[in-house]
Amino acid sequence: VYMELEWKEPQWSEKLVQCSTMIQKLKTKLQDRQTRIALVLLHKTAPVLANDDMIASERASALANSCEINTKNIYVLPFNDQSLISYTIRLESAFLELAQSFYIGMLKNYRSHQTGSHHQTLKVRHQVKMGFISELRLDLPTALK
């Protein structure tokens, strides 16, 4: 979820309620799926300085508690900064890590289904799914097995 929200927002409480409402609606729609929600805050200002770090950490924890997400899943993307590319690369690697952990969980799930199944067609189906997920993870040796 992307949201334009500054740490020093004058209407912080209203934006906090708006953000948590939006995330709760999304969680309600996705409740039966194995999804993880990440919140990306778009900042117009420069990154947080050391003296403002206390305000940012307090507001980040309040935001995480209100939205019922992990503070590790809150990312800041300043779109007015000269180092936007480095922030984008950092965000890309964070999303890649979330996707990799999701695919690892799916592989474990399919492996557990495979051991209990006695039907040959189900075993083949699980093997194909595990191969496809391994390809998505760019793990070609496992995909070829």
Side-chain angles (χ1 to χ4, degrees), residues 1 12-14 49 58 62 66 69 79 93 102-103 117 125:
V1 176
W12 171 257
S13 58
E14 291 99 23
L49 301 174
E58 287 176 8
S66 176
I69 60 173
F79 58 86
S93 67
F102 172 75
Y103 289 135
S117 175
R125 182 178 177 198

Side-chain angles (χ1 to χ4, degrees), residues 101-118:
S101 66
F102 172 75
Y103 289 135
I104 289 171
M106 285 184 70
L107 283 173
K108 287 180 182 177
N109 186 23
Y110 286 130
R111 282 190 190 113
S112 70
H113 285 240
Q114 184 183 19
T115 57
S117 175
H118 297 292

Side-chain angles (χ1 to χ4, degrees), residues 18 20 26 37 40 43 58 70 78 82 84 102 111 114 122 125-126 128-129 132 134:
Q18 179 186 9
S20 65
L26 186 63
I37 297 176
V40 179
H43 282 207
E58 287 176 8
N70 194 343
Q82 297 297 329
L84 181 62
F102 172 75
R111 282 190 190 113
Q114 184 183 19
L122 285 178
R125 182 178 177 198
H126 287 168
V128 169
K129 285 182 180 181
F132 177 72
S134 296

Side-chain angles (χ1 to χ4, degrees), residues 24-75:
Q24 291 306 321
K25 286 180 183 178
L26 186 63
K27 282 184 175 182
T28 303
K29 289 180 182 177
L30 299 173
Q31 73 185 25
D32 293 336
R33 300 177 185 252
Q34 297 176 352
T35 57
R36 294 190 182 148
I37 297 176
L39 178 61
V40 179
L41 302 177
L42 301 173
H43 282 207
K44 291 180 184 175
T45 59
V48 177
L49 301 174
N51 58 353
D52 293 338
D53 194 36
M54 192 65 176
I55 294 171
S57 63
E58 287 176 8
R59 292 207 168 171
S61 65
L63 186 62
N65 288 338
S66 176
C67 296
E68 297 176 4
I69 60 173
N70 194 343
T71 54
K72 292 179 182 179
N73 292 340
I74 297 177
Y75 304 98

